[in-house]
Structures are given as C-alpha cells and as structure tokens.
Amino acid sequence: MDSKGKDSYRLKESGSIIGGVFTDDSIGIVRDFNEKKDLDRIIGDIFYEMDLVLIEGYKLGKFPKILVMKEQDLEEEIKEYKSDEIMAVIGEGELITELNYFGKYDIKKIAKFLEREFIKPYNIQEIDLYINNKPVILNDFVQKIVRNIIDAVIDSLKGIDKKIKEIDLRYKKGK
C-alpha cells in the first residue's frame, strides 16, 4: 500500500505502530498489533460501525462465504467448503445447485440478498464482550445487568469524572 523509500514507509519500518497514507479523498492505515488477533476481533475493533464487512480472499474461519468465480471453476471450488459455509455463489453462465446462485450481472438481486441475509434490524449492543478473543452476543436483559453493575461500581469510585462516554475493561481470570 505504501511506496518503499517514502517518509511514511520509512517511519513505519523504523518502529511506528501505526502508519498512514493520505490523499485528498482517502486514507490508508497500517497498524501493528501487540498480540495475535483473530479476524472476529479485528472486525469488532475496527469495523464496529459497519452494517456489512466484505472480506476478499479469506477462506479460513467460520464466516459466511460468497464464492465469486468463473463457470468452469465453480463445481470444483464448491467441493472445498462445507455446504453450510457457502451462503451464495456468483458466477458466469448457469449452475445447477441448491445454493443461492447469482449471475455476475445480477447486481440488484445480489444487493437484496445481502440486505436480507446480513443487514437485519437489530438492537445495538452497548456492551461488547469477548471471551478468549471470541465475540459473545449479549441479549438485552444481560446487557442491562452488566450495565447496572458497572454503573454502580463507577458511582462508588471517588475522583472519577462521572460524564463517561465509554469504558474499556479487560479481565484476565486468575487461578
């Protein structure tokens, strides 16, 4: 993403944790992590505001997959995955399959499919819980309990600004 020899490249190479490339209408950021993070955690940390995150080329993990390929490759490629991992196939020509299949020019149909399957109305989760770097979905009742406990603890502390917008809490379980 960055050009070798440029100042931004040299700063990143010399140990900067975050490097950036800026243009008039965009930004590219390269960031090092202190620990190995799985893709679930990266998506949660960086793309938390997004309704939909499309990741190109990542075959690992239990993410729903949409295969995009040429007609002659489809049947062989599909065999490499468990059928419950593939949400749809986008290709050229015809393919007889039980999977959701779209031609490469079926843009409106693909958009409606993505909207229906992935961009569902939901209550925004105010509390993000990760256990062993895996996200855990909390229902409204559990979020309310956790929020009330945290609020009570914060209220009991002295010398803390009570106008809190966000709290980060990390817990490492002892023996």
Short mmCIF file of all heavy atoms in Angstrom, two decimals, residues 84-125:
data_model
loop_
_atom_site.label_atom_id
_atom_site.label_comp_id
_atom_site.label_asym_id
_atom_site.label_seq_id
_atom_site.Cartn_x
_atom_site.Cartn_y
_atom_site.Cartn_z
N ASP A 84 -22.57 -25.70 4.55
CA ASP A 84 -23.17 -24.67 5.41
C ASP A 84 -22.31 -23.42 5.50
O ASP A 84 -22.73 -22.42 6.06
CB ASP A 84 -23.45 -25.23 6.81
CG ASP A 84 -22.19 -25.67 7.55
OD1 ASP A 84 -21.16 -25.95 6.90
OD2 ASP A 84 -22.25 -25.74 8.79
N GLU A 85 -21.08 -23.43 4.96
CA GLU A 85 -20.24 -22.23 4.95
C GLU A 85 -20.55 -21.32 3.79
O GLU A 85 -20.30 -20.13 3.84
CB GLU A 85 -18.75 -22.62 4.87
CG GLU A 85 -18.19 -23.28 6.09
CD GLU A 85 -16.72 -23.60 5.93
OE1 GLU A 85 -16.21 -23.65 4.80
OE2 GLU A 85 -16.07 -23.81 6.96
N ILE A 86 -21.08 -21.87 2.69
CA ILE A 86 -21.31 -21.09 1.49
C ILE A 86 -22.73 -20.52 1.51
O ILE A 86 -23.70 -21.25 1.54
CB ILE A 86 -21.11 -21.94 0.22
CG1 ILE A 86 -19.69 -22.52 0.20
CG2 ILE A 86 -21.37 -21.10 -1.03
CD1 ILE A 86 -19.45 -23.48 -0.93
N MET A 87 -22.82 -19.20 1.53
CA MET A 87 -24.12 -18.52 1.54
C MET A 87 -24.64 -18.31 0.12
O MET A 87 -25.83 -18.29 -0.10
CB MET A 87 -24.01 -17.16 2.23
CG MET A 87 -23.66 -17.24 3.69
SD MET A 87 -24.92 -18.06 4.67
CE MET A 87 -26.28 -16.95 4.52
N ALA A 88 -23.73 -18.12 -0.82
CA ALA A 88 -24.14 -17.86 -2.20
C ALA A 88 -22.96 -18.08 -3.13
O ALA A 88 -21.81 -18.14 -2.70
CB ALA A 88 -24.66 -16.43 -2.34
N VAL A 89 -23.30 -18.19 -4.40
CA VAL A 89 -22.29 -18.32 -5.45
C VAL A 89 -22.62 -17.29 -6.53
O VAL A 89 -23.78 -17.12 -6.90
CB VAL A 89 -22.31 -19.74 -6.06
CG1 VAL A 89 -21.32 -19.85 -7.20
CG2 VAL A 89 -22.03 -20.79 -5.00
N ILE A 90 -21.58 -16.59 -6.98
CA ILE A 90 -21.74 -15.64 -8.07
C ILE A 90 -20.82 -16.12 -9.18
O ILE A 90 -19.63 -16.34 -8.95
CB ILE A 90 -21.37 -14.21 -7.65
CG1 ILE A 90 -22.26 -13.76 -6.49
CG2 ILE A 90 -21.46 -13.26 -8.83
CD1 ILE A 90 -21.85 -12.44 -5.86
N GLY A 91 -21.37 -16.33 -10.36
CA GLY A 91 -20.56 -16.87 -11.44
C GLY A 91 -21.06 -16.47 -12.80
O GLY A 91 -21.99 -15.68 -12.94
N GLU A 92 -20.42 -17.04 -13.81
CA GLU A 92 -20.80 -16.82 -15.20
C GLU A 92 -21.59 -18.04 -15.67
O GLU A 92 -21.27 -19.15 -15.32
CB GLU A 92 -19.55 -16.65 -16.05
CG GLU A 92 -18.73 -15.45 -15.67
CD GLU A 92 -17.41 -15.37 -16.44
OE1 GLU A 92 -17.15 -16.24 -17.29
OE2 GLU A 92 -16.65 -14.44 -16.17
N GLY A 93 -22.60 -17.81 -16.45
CA GLY A 93 -23.33 -18.92 -17.02
C GLY A 93 -24.31 -19.53 -16.03
O GLY A 93 -24.71 -18.91 -15.05
N GLU A 94 -24.67 -20.78 -16.27
CA GLU A 94 -25.65 -21.47 -15.44
C GLU A 94 -24.96 -22.50 -14.56
O GLU A 94 -23.96 -23.09 -14.93
CB GLU A 94 -26.68 -22.18 -16.34
CG GLU A 94 -27.51 -21.23 -17.18
CD GLU A 94 -28.39 -20.33 -16.34
OE1 GLU A 94 -28.98 -20.81 -15.36
OE2 GLU A 94 -28.49 -19.12 -16.66
N LEU A 95 -25.53 -22.72 -13.39
CA LEU A 95 -25.04 -23.74 -12.48
C LEU A 95 -26.25 -24.33 -11.77
O LEU A 95 -27.06 -23.60 -11.21
CB LEU A 95 -24.06 -23.15 -11.45
CG LEU A 95 -23.56 -24.11 -10.38
CD1 LEU A 95 -22.58 -25.12 -11.00
CD2 LEU A 95 -22.88 -23.36 -9.26
N ILE A 96 -26.37 -25.63 -11.79
CA ILE A 96 -27.46 -26.28 -11.08
C ILE A 96 -26.95 -26.60 -9.68
O ILE A 96 -26.03 -27.40 -9.51
CB ILE A 96 -27.92 -27.56 -11.81
CG1 ILE A 96 -28.44 -27.19 -13.20
CG2 ILE A 96 -28.98 -28.28 -11.00
CD1 ILE A 96 -28.72 -28.36 -14.10
N THR A 97 -27.51 -25.92 -8.70
CA THR A 97 -27.07 -26.07 -7.32
C THR A 97 -28.21 -25.71 -6.37
O THR A 97 -29.11 -24.96 -6.74
CB THR A 97 -25.84 -25.18 -7.02
OG1 THR A 97 -25.46 -25.35 -5.66
CG2 THR A 97 -26.13 -23.72 -7.30
N GLU A 98 -28.14 -26.24 -5.18
CA GLU A 98 -29.12 -25.87 -4.15
C GLU A 98 -28.73 -24.56 -3.48
O GLU A 98 -29.51 -23.98 -2.73
CB GLU A 98 -29.21 -26.98 -3.11
CG GLU A 98 -29.80 -28.27 -3.65
CD GLU A 98 -29.82 -29.38 -2.61
OE1 GLU A 98 -29.53 -29.11 -1.42
OE2 GLU A 98 -30.14 -30.51 -2.99
N LEU A 99 -27.52 -24.10 -3.73
CA LEU A 99 -27.04 -22.86 -3.14
C LEU A 99 -27.70 -21.66 -3.81
O LEU A 99 -28.20 -21.76 -4.93
CB LEU A 99 -25.52 -22.75 -3.30
CG LEU A 99 -24.70 -23.84 -2.60
CD1 LEU A 99 -23.26 -23.80 -3.10
CD2 LEU A 99 -24.76 -23.67 -1.10
N ASN A 100 -27.68 -20.52 -3.13
CA ASN A 100 -28.14 -19.27 -3.75
C ASN A 100 -27.16 -18.94 -4.86
O ASN A 100 -25.97 -18.76 -4.61
CB ASN A 100 -28.16 -18.15 -2.72
CG ASN A 100 -29.15 -18.39 -1.61
OD1 ASN A 100 -30.33 -18.47 -1.86
ND2 ASN A 100 -28.65 -18.55 -0.39
N TYR A 101 -27.64 -18.88 -6.08
CA TYR A 101 -26.77 -18.63 -7.22
C TYR A 101 -27.20 -17.36 -7.94
O TYR A 101 -28.38 -17.14 -8.20
CB TYR A 101 -26.80 -19.81 -8.20
CG TYR A 101 -25.90 -19.58 -9.40
CD1 TYR A 101 -24.53 -19.75 -9.29
CD2 TYR A 101 -26.42 -19.16 -10.61
CE1 TYR A 101 -23.70 -19.51 -10.36
CE2 TYR A 101 -25.60 -18.91 -11.70
CZ TYR A 101 -24.24 -19.10 -11.57
OH TYR A 101 -23.41 -18.85 -12.63
N PHE A 102 -26.20 -16.53 -8.28
CA PHE A 102 -26.44 -15.28 -8.99
C PHE A 102 -25.47 -15.18 -10.15
O PHE A 102 -24.29 -15.54 -10.02
CB PHE A 102 -26.22 -14.07 -8.07
CG PHE A 102 -27.07 -14.08 -6.84
CD1 PHE A 102 -26.58 -14.56 -5.64
CD2 PHE A 102 -28.38 -13.61 -6.89
CE1 PHE A 102 -27.37 -14.58 -4.50
CE2 PHE A 102 -29.18 -13.62 -5.75
CZ PHE A 102 -28.67 -14.10 -4.56
N GLY A 103 -25.94 -14.65 -11.26
CA GLY A 103 -25.04 -14.32 -12.36
C GLY A 103 -24.24 -13.08 -11.98
O GLY A 103 -24.67 -12.29 -11.14
N LYS A 104 -23.10 -12.92 -12.61
CA LYS A 104 -22.22 -11.81 -12.19
C LYS A 104 -22.82 -10.43 -12.47
O LYS A 104 -22.36 -9.44 -11.92
CB LYS A 104 -20.84 -11.94 -12.80
CG LYS A 104 -20.76 -11.72 -14.29
CD LYS A 104 -19.31 -11.83 -14.73
CE LYS A 104 -19.16 -11.53 -16.20
NZ LYS A 104 -17.76 -11.58 -16.60
N TYR A 105 -23.87 -10.35 -13.29
CA TYR A 105 -24.50 -9.06 -13.56
C TYR A 105 -25.83 -8.88 -12.81
O TYR A 105 -26.53 -7.90 -13.03
CB TYR A 105 -24.72 -8.88 -15.07
CG TYR A 105 -23.42 -8.89 -15.83
CD1 TYR A 105 -23.08 -9.97 -16.65
CD2 TYR A 105 -22.52 -7.84 -15.71
CE1 TYR A 105 -21.87 -9.98 -17.33
CE2 TYR A 105 -21.31 -7.85 -16.39
CZ TYR A 105 -20.99 -8.93 -17.20
OH TYR A 105 -19.80 -8.94 -17.87
N ASP A 106 -26.15 -9.80 -11.91
CA ASP A 106 -27.39 -9.71 -11.12
C ASP A 106 -27.19 -8.81 -9.90
O ASP A 106 -27.47 -9.19 -8.76
CB ASP A 106 -27.84 -11.10 -10.66
CG ASP A 106 -28.31 -11.98 -11.79
OD1 ASP A 106 -28.72 -11.43 -12.83
OD2 ASP A 106 -28.27 -13.21 -11.63
N ILE A 107 -26.73 -7.61 -10.13
CA ILE A 107 -26.32 -6.71 -9.05
C ILE A 107 -27.48 -6.43 -8.08
O ILE A 107 -27.30 -6.51 -6.86
CB ILE A 107 -25.77 -5.37 -9.62
CG1 ILE A 107 -24.64 -5.63 -10.62
CG2 ILE A 107 -25.33 -4.45 -8.48
CD1 ILE A 107 -23.48 -6.43 -10.09
N LYS A 108 -28.65 -6.10 -8.59
CA LYS A 108 -29.78 -5.79 -7.70
C LYS A 108 -30.19 -7.01 -6.88
O LYS A 108 -30.49 -6.89 -5.69
CB LYS A 108 -30.97 -5.26 -8.50
CG LYS A 108 -30.75 -3.86 -9.01
CD LYS A 108 -31.98 -3.32 -9.71
CE LYS A 108 -31.71 -1.91 -10.22
NZ LYS A 108 -32.85 -1.36 -10.92
N LYS A 109 -30.19 -8.19 -7.49
CA LYS A 109 -30.55 -9.42 -6.76
C LYS A 109 -29.51 -9.72 -5.67
O LYS A 109 -29.86 -10.12 -4.57
CB LYS A 109 -30.66 -10.61 -7.71
CG LYS A 109 -31.87 -10.56 -8.61
CD LYS A 109 -31.90 -11.79 -9.51
CE LYS A 109 -33.05 -11.73 -10.49
NZ LYS A 109 -33.02 -12.88 -11.40
N ILE A 110 -28.24 -9.51 -5.99
CA ILE A 110 -27.17 -9.75 -5.01
C ILE A 110 -27.31 -8.77 -3.85
O ILE A 110 -27.22 -9.15 -2.69
CB ILE A 110 -25.77 -9.62 -5.67
CG1 ILE A 110 -25.58 -10.72 -6.72
CG2 ILE A 110 -24.67 -9.66 -4.62
CD1 ILE A 110 -24.39 -10.50 -7.63
N ALA A 111 -27.57 -7.50 -4.16
CA ALA A 111 -27.74 -6.49 -3.11
C ALA A 111 -28.92 -6.82 -2.21
O ALA A 111 -28.82 -6.73 -0.98
CB ALA A 111 -27.92 -5.10 -3.73
N LYS A 112 -30.05 -7.24 -2.79
CA LYS A 112 -31.21 -7.61 -1.99
C LYS A 112 -30.91 -8.83 -1.12
O LYS A 112 -31.34 -8.89 0.04
CB LYS A 112 -32.42 -7.88 -2.88
CG LYS A 112 -33.06 -6.63 -3.43
CD LYS A 112 -34.30 -6.97 -4.22
CE LYS A 112 -34.85 -5.76 -4.90
NZ LYS A 112 -35.88 -5.09 -4.20
N PHE A 113 -30.16 -9.79 -1.66
CA PHE A 113 -29.77 -10.97 -0.89
C PHE A 113 -28.91 -10.56 0.31
O PHE A 113 -29.16 -10.99 1.44
CB PHE A 113 -29.02 -11.96 -1.78
CG PHE A 113 -28.38 -13.08 -1.03
CD1 PHE A 113 -29.14 -14.16 -0.59
CD2 PHE A 113 -27.02 -13.08 -0.76
CE1 PHE A 113 -28.56 -15.20 0.11
CE2 PHE A 113 -26.43 -14.11 -0.06
CZ PHE A 113 -27.20 -15.18 0.38
N LEU A 114 -27.90 -9.74 0.08
CA LEU A 114 -27.02 -9.29 1.17
C LEU A 114 -27.82 -8.53 2.23
O LEU A 114 -27.63 -8.74 3.43
CB LEU A 114 -25.89 -8.42 0.63
CG LEU A 114 -24.85 -9.11 -0.23
CD1 LEU A 114 -23.91 -8.11 -0.86
CD2 LEU A 114 -24.09 -10.15 0.58
N GLU A 115 -28.70 -7.67 1.78
CA GLU A 115 -29.52 -6.90 2.71
C GLU A 115 -30.41 -7.82 3.55
O GLU A 115 -30.49 -7.69 4.77
CB GLU A 115 -30.36 -5.90 1.93
CG GLU A 115 -31.14 -4.95 2.79
CD GLU A 115 -31.87 -3.93 1.94
OE1 GLU A 115 -32.70 -4.33 1.08
OE2 GLU A 115 -31.61 -2.74 2.13
N ARG A 116 -31.05 -8.78 2.90
CA ARG A 116 -31.97 -9.69 3.59
C ARG A 116 -31.23 -10.62 4.57
O ARG A 116 -31.67 -10.85 5.68
CB ARG A 116 -32.74 -10.52 2.56
CG ARG A 116 -33.77 -11.46 3.16
CD ARG A 116 -34.49 -12.28 2.12
NE ARG A 116 -33.60 -13.27 1.53
CZ ARG A 116 -33.21 -13.28 0.25
NH1 ARG A 116 -33.63 -12.36 -0.60
NH2 ARG A 116 -32.40 -14.22 -0.21
N GLU A 117 -30.07 -11.13 4.15
CA GLU A 117 -29.37 -12.14 4.95
C GLU A 117 -28.43 -11.56 6.01
O GLU A 117 -28.17 -12.20 7.01
CB GLU A 117 -28.57 -13.07 4.03
CG GLU A 117 -29.43 -13.93 3.15
CD GLU A 117 -30.32 -14.89 3.93
OE1 GLU A 117 -29.85 -15.48 4.92
OE2 GLU A 117 -31.50 -15.03 3.56
N PHE A 118 -27.90 -10.38 5.77
CA PHE A 118 -26.84 -9.88 6.65
C PHE A 118 -27.15 -8.54 7.31
O PHE A 118 -26.59 -8.23 8.35
CB PHE A 118 -25.52 -9.77 5.89
CG PHE A 118 -25.04 -11.08 5.39
CD1 PHE A 118 -25.16 -11.41 4.05
CD2 PHE A 118 -24.49 -12.01 6.25
CE1 PHE A 118 -24.73 -12.64 3.58
CE2 PHE A 118 -24.06 -13.24 5.80
CZ PHE A 118 -24.18 -13.55 4.46
N ILE A 119 -27.94 -7.71 6.70
CA ILE A 119 -28.21 -6.39 7.27
C ILE A 119 -29.62 -6.43 7.83
O ILE A 119 -30.56 -5.92 7.26
CB ILE A 119 -28.04 -5.27 6.23
CG1 ILE A 119 -26.67 -5.37 5.59
CG2 ILE A 119 -28.22 -3.90 6.89
CD1 ILE A 119 -26.44 -4.40 4.46
N LYS A 120 -29.75 -7.07 8.97
CA LYS A 120 -31.05 -7.24 9.60
C LYS A 120 -31.20 -6.18 10.69
O LYS A 120 -30.23 -5.79 11.31
CB LYS A 120 -31.14 -8.63 10.23
CG LYS A 120 -30.99 -9.74 9.21
CD LYS A 120 -30.94 -11.09 9.87
CE LYS A 120 -30.69 -12.15 8.81
NZ LYS A 120 -30.43 -13.44 9.37
N PRO A 121 -32.42 -5.74 10.92
CA PRO A 121 -32.60 -4.81 12.04
C PRO A 121 -32.22 -5.50 13.35
O PRO A 121 -32.53 -6.67 13.55
CB PRO A 121 -34.11 -4.52 12.03
CG PRO A 121 -34.63 -5.07 10.76
CD PRO A 121 -33.64 -6.05 10.24
N TYR A 122 -31.53 -4.80 14.19
CA TYR A 122 -31.11 -5.38 15.46
C TYR A 122 -30.95 -4.26 16.48
O TYR A 122 -30.82 -3.10 16.13
CB TYR A 122 -29.80 -6.15 15.32
CG TYR A 122 -28.65 -5.30 14.83
CD1 TYR A 122 -27.81 -4.65 15.70
CD2 TYR A 122 -28.42 -5.14 13.46
CE1 TYR A 122 -26.78 -3.86 15.25
CE2 TYR A 122 -27.39 -4.35 13.00
CZ TYR A 122 -26.57 -3.72 13.90
OH TYR A 122 -25.55 -2.93 13.45
N ASN A 123 -30.98 -4.64 17.73
CA ASN A 123 -30.69 -3.67 18.78
C ASN A 123 -29.18 -3.54 18.87
O ASN A 123 -28.47 -4.54 18.91
CB ASN A 123 -31.23 -4.17 20.14
CG ASN A 123 -32.74 -4.17 20.16
OD1 ASN A 123 -33.37 -3.41 19.44
ND2 ASN A 123 -33.30 -5.02 20.98
N ILE A 124 -28.71 -2.32 18.92
CA ILE A 124 -27.27 -2.10 19.01
C ILE A 124 -26.79 -2.58 20.37
O ILE A 124 -27.34 -2.21 21.40
CB ILE A 124 -26.92 -0.62 18.79
CG1 ILE A 124 -27.29 -0.22 17.37
CG2 ILE A 124 -25.45 -0.36 19.07
CD1 ILE A 124 -27.13 1.24 17.07
N GLN A 125 -25.78 -3.42 20.35
CA GLN A 125 -25.24 -3.94 21.60
C GLN A 125 -24.33 -2.87 22.21
O GLN A 125 -23.37 -2.45 21.60
CB GLN A 125 -24.46 -5.24 21.30
CG GLN A 125 -24.03 -5.95 22.55
CD GLN A 125 -23.66 -7.39 22.28
OE1 GLN A 125 -24.40 -8.11 21.66
NE2 GLN A 125 -22.51 -7.79 22.76
#
